[in-house]
Amino acid sequence: MAETKPLIFNVQKFSVHDGPGIRTTIFFKGCPLACPWCHNPESQRFCGERMARDDGGWDDVGAYYPLAEVIRQAVQDQIFYERSGGGVTLSGGEVLAQPMDYVTALVQALAEKGISVGIDTSGAAPFTAFEQVLPYTDFFLYDMKLFDDERHRQYMGQGNRQILENMKALSDAGAVLYLRLIMVDGVNTDRDRDIQPFQEWLQAQQIRVETIHLLPYHELGRHKYQALQRPFQPFRAPSAQVLEGIRQSFAGLGYDTVIGG
Ligand code: SF4
């Protein structure tokens, strides 16, 4: 469960992978999903925790930032946002599973200062949370892991119906969606089992997406599992040929599709 005050575990300046232009990405701590390949495992729990450092010390992960402080930090780089077409991205964890009074006040304040706001979401949140931020949000980076509900539950700890329903509702509401598909070999890359049913659903539901990003699994978060003293479960990225085949199959249906962020 979310705390009454949200925890933030990183404010990353000059980020270039979380939407267009130069951005500040604010990472909220706590996520309803438990993806076993999560490359930010320190983002999963809604509570503060400690990570071991290489020098034998410990770093605290997660702090409460008064709203004015996080706005101050975000506004510092406004000139770079304006020159590059960037802005602020709220990420996580799952930002829409945080106390929504705080999140809504934050996006509203940024929008009122003329700063573009993007939200990186797993979709695992009540639609009422999306509705609260929708008027102030320029785009959503919408992550999708697995189309099959039961296999989604098996890997992520809960099914995906809410995620799909929210995607549909956002599309119908005219939200700008960048769909991000995490590609994990043997888990969600089978054309007949994983890709085609999802494509059929996207088309049947008339989901409008700006771009589909195919994001191959990577192991950059491996050391963080050690630092958190949690077991690391290795997966594999699909081959370049498999990825390209998937890209072409989406592109063939008219979706602007790229490999990478
Ligand atoms: S949805 Fe994202 S942050 Fe949450 S567990 Fe999965 S990969 Fe990690």
Side-chain angles (χ1 to χ4, degrees):
M1 267 309 285
E3 304 284 328
T4 51
K5 286 180 170 182
L7 295 177
I8 288 171
F9 70 93
N10 191 9
V11 177
Q12 189 174 310
K13 303 275 192 153
F14 294 96
S15 165
V16 291
H17 296 296
D18 298 312
I22 293 171
R23 313 191 70 81
T24 295
T25 305
I26 301 167
F27 292 87
F28 287 79
K29 188 158 162 40
C31 182
L33 301 185
C35 311
W37 48 77
C38 183
H39 66 274
N40 281 331
E42 78 276 35
S43 75
Q44 290 181 322
R45 296 184 183 164
F46 285 94
C47 55
E49 55 195 319
R50 296 194 311 167
M51 280 175 93
R53 284 199 309 262
D54 289 345
D55 66 4
W58 295 87
D59 285 326
D60 289 325
V61 183
Y64 173 66
Y65 285 56
L67 201 53
E69 171 58 16
V70 75
I71 293 168
R72 187 189 68 77
Q73 290 202 26
V75 168
Q76 274 173 346
D77 290 346
Q78 189 160 7
I79 190 159
F80 298 109
Y81 312 151
E82 285 165 3
R83 286 184 183 163
S84 67
V88 171
T89 299
L90 307 188
S91 184
E94 176 50 62
V95 63
L96 299 176
Q98 307 292 331
M100 285 308 296
D101 289 354
Y102 182 101
V103 174
T104 307
L106 175 57
V107 293
Q108 184 173 1
L110 293 172
E112 282 169 1
K113 290 180 186 301
I115 295 176
S116 159
V117 177
I119 290 191
D120 179 11
T121 179
S122 66
F127 191 66
T128 49
F130 285 94
E131 285 177 312
Q132 281 178 260
V133 296
L134 199 47
Y136 314 109
T137 302
D138 288 303
F139 63 87
F140 292 87
L141 306 176
Y142 204 98
D143 301 344
M144 179 74 198
K145 283 91 181 177
L146 262 176
F147 183 67
D148 182 80
D149 187 47
E150 195 44 48
R151 293 182 66 246
H152 193 284
R153 189 181 312 280
Q154 207 181 313
Y155 282 100
M156 264 61 74
Q158 67 179 59
N160 64 9
R161 294 301 105 176
Q162 181 185 49
I163 295 167
L164 293 171
E165 284 168 17
N166 285 340
M167 195 193 303
K168 166 72 175 154
L170 281 177
S171 171
D172 287 352
V176 174
L177 295 177
Y178 295 91
L179 198 54
R180 307 219 293 184
L181 309 181
I182 318 300
M183 298 274 92
V184 186
D185 186 46
V187 174
N188 58 11
T189 54
D190 187 276
R191 288 285 281 275
D192 296 336
R193 184 191 62 189
D194 305 309
I195 304 297
Q196 199 179 325
F198 181 48
Q199 290 172 334
E200 286 171 2
W201 181 86
L202 283 174
Q203 292 194 296
Q205 301 295 325
Q206 301 182 310
I207 306 290
R208 290 178 306 158
V209 293
E210 295 292 308
T211 307
I212 296 177
H213 293 267
L214 305 178
L215 305 178
Y217 166 80
H218 62 72
E219 285 198 353
L220 295 179
R222 185 185 196 117
H223 68 284
K224 295 183 177 181
Y225 284 84
Q226 277 172 351
L228 289 162
Q229 300 180 311
R230 289 190 217 158
F232 174 76
Q233 195 180 339
F235 288 88
R236 288 185 312 270
S239 68
Q241 292 94 316
V242 167
L243 272 177
E244 177 56 19
I246 295 171
R247 190 198 67 74
Q248 285 180 12
S249 74
F250 276 105
L253 296 171
Y255 297 104
D256 177 30
T257 310
V258 296
I259 295 171

